[in-house]
Amino acid sequence: MASPPPIDELPVPQSNAVRAMKDIAFGSAAGMVSKVFEYPFDLTKVRLQSQVLDTTARFNGPWDCLKTTWAEEGILGLYRGVPAPVVGAMAENASLFLSYNEFQNVIRKVTKRAADEDLPLKHLTLAAAGAGAVTSFVLTPIELVKCKMQVQMLIPPTGGAPAPLPGPISVFMGVLRQSGLRGLWLGQTGTLIRETGGTAAWFGMKEYVARLLLARRAKQEAEAPSTASASSSSSSASSTPALPLKLKLWESAFSGACAGIAFNVALFPADTVKSAIQTEHELHPGRPPSSFFRMFMEMYRAQGIKGLYTGCGVTILRSVPSSAIIFLIYDELNKLFG
């Protein structure tokens, strides 16, 4: 008679509230670490995006932007405005993973699947799109403050002694005074488009690659000769059911890296337009506020598709290790404490 798996290897049931708290904690930790790593590249991306409508470019590319920022502003310049995006990354990833898992639960109920049953990739992608849409409303105010701070050193001088650069709280309060509560969601259309489609690509690619890697490893382990199995009876060899395979460290990192590429390639122009809208007041004072469609057409007429993908290279460069870090930390925390 087959013996059951050891008690400590059995999954422990947990309430939805406990699972939600773990998603928030694991996602926050992953987001914070990845943002500290990637921030100088994000600053470079925003500064490059902000010059698409300029007749004379301030920077000749990502490397020139990084060198110029380092030479003129030092290490603090590379991390200008970092508190807001660190908080944003924690909120973003906590919201993403929490919403992603909650949308999966909804889909399981609608499709009458068991709570622990794996969903097909199309349903996971749908859950990811929903998570991205929800998260976009959390992200827009945070990214607005971040983008405004990242272009502070690019604002043309108005004469006299330079004023001290405002911090994130000052920028936040300035937006409230100027545009009211609604102004905090300037650029929401771009964030919504980017996060809905990009997150579907992000989680979808991660799940797809992870499943390929697990299937490959399961096949290798099934085909590998086992001395222990050959020396024991067939009944004792099959006495303990095999537990589901879990991702190894490199598998989590690799599938996460692929996800980072997919996210940015999917809808990068939406991010470019969003950044330009959020820095328009600082870099082009006097211009009437632009809608998403108007800014999109202006940037397209100015530099075509190339302009809409300004900063994409450096963004992919930073998103590969950043996304790998996020999923590596989240998956490992999930294995240890999930």
Side-chain angles (χ1 to χ4, degrees):
M1 181 177 177
S3 59
I7 296 297
D8 60 352
E9 292 183 356
L10 290 174
V12 179
Q14 54 186 311
S15 67
N16 290 337
V18 172
R19 180 66 257 174
M21 291 301 296
K22 288 182 177 180
D23 285 333
I24 292 172
F26 300 165
S28 297
M32 178 180 62
V33 174
S34 68
K35 182 55 68 177
V36 172
F37 169 82
E38 70 170 37
Y39 189 76
F41 301 98
D42 183 70
L43 178 138
T44 300
K45 178 208 70 171
V46 171
R47 290 190 170 187
L48 291 174
Q49 289 173 332
S50 69
Q51 68 178 16
V52 173
L53 295 180
D54 296 343
T55 54
T56 303
R58 302 178 185 87
F59 308 108
N60 295 323
W63 182 239
D64 180 57
C65 182
L66 280 170
K67 287 196 302 180
T68 303
T69 302
W70 174 268
E72 296 181 358
E73 304 172 49
I75 186 67
L76 294 180
L78 291 175
Y79 281 91
R80 185 170 305 283
V82 73
V86 165
V87 173
M90 294 172 67
E92 175 188 10
N93 285 279
S95 175
L96 276 176
F97 284 103
L98 175 61
S99 301
Y100 180 51
N101 287 320
E102 288 304 313
F103 273 110
Q104 287 185 61
N105 292 335
V106 171
I107 290 173
R108 287 191 180 95
K109 289 180 181 178
V110 171
T111 58
K112 295 181 173 56
R113 295 175 182 270
D116 58 349
E117 183 178 354
D118 288 337
L119 292 175
L121 196 59
K122 62 181 181 180
H123 287 162
L124 291 175
T125 304
L126 179 62
V134 170
T135 303
S136 71
F137 291 93
V138 177
L139 271 181
T140 298
I142 297 168
E143 292 203 356
L144 177 69
V145 173
K146 178 203 73 172
C147 287
K148 287 183 178 298
M149 292 193 67
Q150 286 177 332
V151 299
Q152 285 175 346
M153 297 298 291
L154 309 182
I155 300 174
T158 56
L165 295 176
I169 302 299
S170 298
V171 172
F172 179 85
M173 296 305 298
V175 173
L176 279 180
R177 286 192 298 269
Q178 182 180 359
S179 307
L181 191 63
R182 183 179 178 182
L184 294 174
W185 277 268
L186 178 67
Q188 171 60 29
T189 301
T191 312
L192 178 64
I193 294 172
R194 183 197 70 191
E195 288 299 312
T196 302
T199 304
W202 195 56
F203 276 116
M205 180 61 74
K206 197 270 181 180
E207 297 285 357
Y208 175 72
V209 175
R211 289 183 178 190
L212 285 180
L213 293 174
L214 288 176
R216 172 178 172 271
R217 182 147 55 90
K219 182 180 179 182
Q220 289 176 340
E221 292 182 5
E223 294 175 349
S226 174
T227 305
S229 296
S231 61
S232 62
S233 65
S234 59
S235 60
S236 62
S238 59
S239 61
T240 303
L243 294 172
L245 292 176
K246 293 187 177 182
L247 290 171
K248 294 181 177 179
L249 289 173
W250 76 267
E251 291 172 334
S252 288
F254 181 76
S255 56
C258 293
I261 296 173
F263 179 95
N264 288 289
V265 172
L267 291 165
F268 191 81
D271 182 71
T272 303
V273 176
K274 188 265 318 173
S275 295
I277 289 174
Q278 291 181 329
T279 58
E280 187 175 26
H281 175 73
E282 285 74 21
L283 300 181
H284 302 282
R287 279 171 52 101
S290 298
S291 65
F292 180 85
F293 181 74
R294 177 187 165 192
M295 180 63 78
F296 179 92
M297 293 308 299
E298 283 193 37
M299 299 180 83
Y300 179 77
R301 284 194 291 267
Q303 295 191 27
I305 294 295
K306 179 182 177 181
L308 292 169
Y309 274 90
T310 295
C312 185
V314 70
T315 303
I316 291 177
L317 183 66
R318 58 96 172 171
S319 70
V320 169
S322 172
S323 188
I325 289 171
I326 289 173
F327 280 110
L328 177 61
I329 293 176
Y330 181 86
D331 287 345
E332 287 304 303
L333 288 174
N334 222 9
K335 281 193 284 187
L336 290 172
F337 306 108

